Amino acid sequence: MFNGIIFNQGIVQDIEKRPKGINFFIKSDLKLTKKDIGVSIACDGVCLTLITIKRNVMEFYLSDETIQRSKFRFLKVKDKINLELPLKYGQKISGHICQGHIDTVGKILNIKMIDKSYLFEFEIVKKERINLIEKASVCVNGISLTISKLTKKGFQIWVIPHTFNLTNLFTLKRSSLVNIEIDILSKYVRNYFNEKK
């Protein structure tokens, strides 16, 4: 479990394709050792298991299911990846509860700089729009953000300069793809009431 507050990033060093998945390698400044092998790490919001670590290079395996549900099917060497370690008992939750289970891939329709902040507009597939709620939380590339407005094709968010500069949002442009995890609470509530009908 994660909270979508990003303090670390990594760079994709290598990608090894497999028949039904990929192994990829990220170099970062995370202070991890071989004792941490097996820990879950959110990589652009996707909960992945650390399988090796050597000289600050972490290795992860992506199954075909994860590849199809995330933007990682377009993963490239030198991509900048947001990283988050799992929450520890007693740790402050500054964002919201994130599972690391990606619901869909979003596409950036527009980015506007207004004063010092940035207004992002995203498009997502129709079947996932029903779970969006204005002012609810949403996880974009592992970052806990707030939906400011619902649109015909998706939603908008405002990003302050601090978040923009400390995450990989500054690398994105129009038509860039992002991993989207919709707030688990909104999905549970909608599912509950649908079952009551």
Side-chain angles (χ1 to χ4, degrees):
M1 190 167 66
F2 309 90
N3 72 351
I5 303 300
I6 306 300
F7 293 104
N8 300 282
Q9 292 178 323
I11 304 293
V12 177
Q13 299 286 297
D14 193 19
I15 301 169
E16 295 179 357
K17 293 187 178 180
R18 306 173 66 88
K20 288 291 183 179
I22 61 172
N23 285 52
F24 75 106
F25 301 79
I26 298 177
K27 186 171 185 179
S28 80
D29 293 329
L30 284 177
K31 304 301 181 186
L32 298 174
T33 68
K34 289 183 179 179
K35 292 182 180 178
D36 295 301
I37 289 174
V39 72
S40 295
I41 298 176
C43 300
D44 267 359
V46 181
C47 179
L48 298 175
T49 300
L50 178 67
I51 57 176
T52 67
I53 177 90
K54 187 176 182 181
R55 296 192 186 95
N56 292 331
V57 176
M58 304 176 292
E59 181 184 4
F60 301 93
Y61 169 72
L62 286 172
S63 68
D64 192 55
E65 164 72 7
T66 303
I67 293 168
Q68 294 307 314
R69 284 186 173 266
S70 71
K71 67 169 192 172
F72 285 150
R73 60 185 178 271
F74 305 109
L75 190 68
K76 301 185 300 294
V77 171
K78 295 186 179 179
D79 278 355
K80 191 178 287 285
I81 305 292
N82 293 325
L83 302 172
E84 184 186 356
L85 294 173
L87 290 171
K88 295 179 181 178
Y89 180 76
Q91 184 177 338
K92 291 179 180 178
I93 300 177
S94 299
H96 72 285
I97 298 300
C98 308
Q99 294 184 300
H101 303 160
I102 301 304
D103 292 298
T104 189
V105 174
K107 182 172 78 171
I108 296 178
L109 297 180
N110 202 9
I111 305 172
K112 291 181 183 177
M113 186 175 183
I114 301 175
D115 192 20
K116 292 184 178 181
S117 296
Y118 299 84
L119 179 63
F120 282 73
E121 184 172 349
F122 298 93
E123 177 182 9
I124 66 170
V125 293
K126 186 176 181 180
K127 70 175 185 176
E128 296 294 348
R129 290 179 212 152
I130 194 170
N131 291 314
L132 298 176
I133 301 172
E134 192 170 298
K135 300 304 177 185
S137 297
V138 65
C139 200
V140 177
N141 275 359
I143 309 160
S144 175
L145 296 164
T146 302
I147 296 173
S148 61
K149 181 181 178 181
L150 299 180
T151 64
K152 276 188 175 182
K153 293 185 176 181
F155 62 96
Q156 293 180 342
I157 57 169
W158 284 89
V159 178
I160 62 173
H162 177 84
T163 303
F164 184 81
N165 293 322
L166 289 183
T167 67
N168 64 7
L169 289 179
F170 76 89
T171 69
L172 305 180
K173 55 189 177 182
R174 185 177 294 183
S175 295
S176 290
L177 300 178
V178 293
N179 291 324
I180 302 287
E181 180 186 337
I182 298 167
D183 186 4
I184 188 64
L185 295 179
S186 67
K187 290 186 289 187
Y188 279 165
V189 169
R190 181 172 295 281
N191 187 64
Y192 173 79
F193 282 107
N194 283 343
E195 288 182 352
K196 286 286 187 179
K197 290 179 181 179

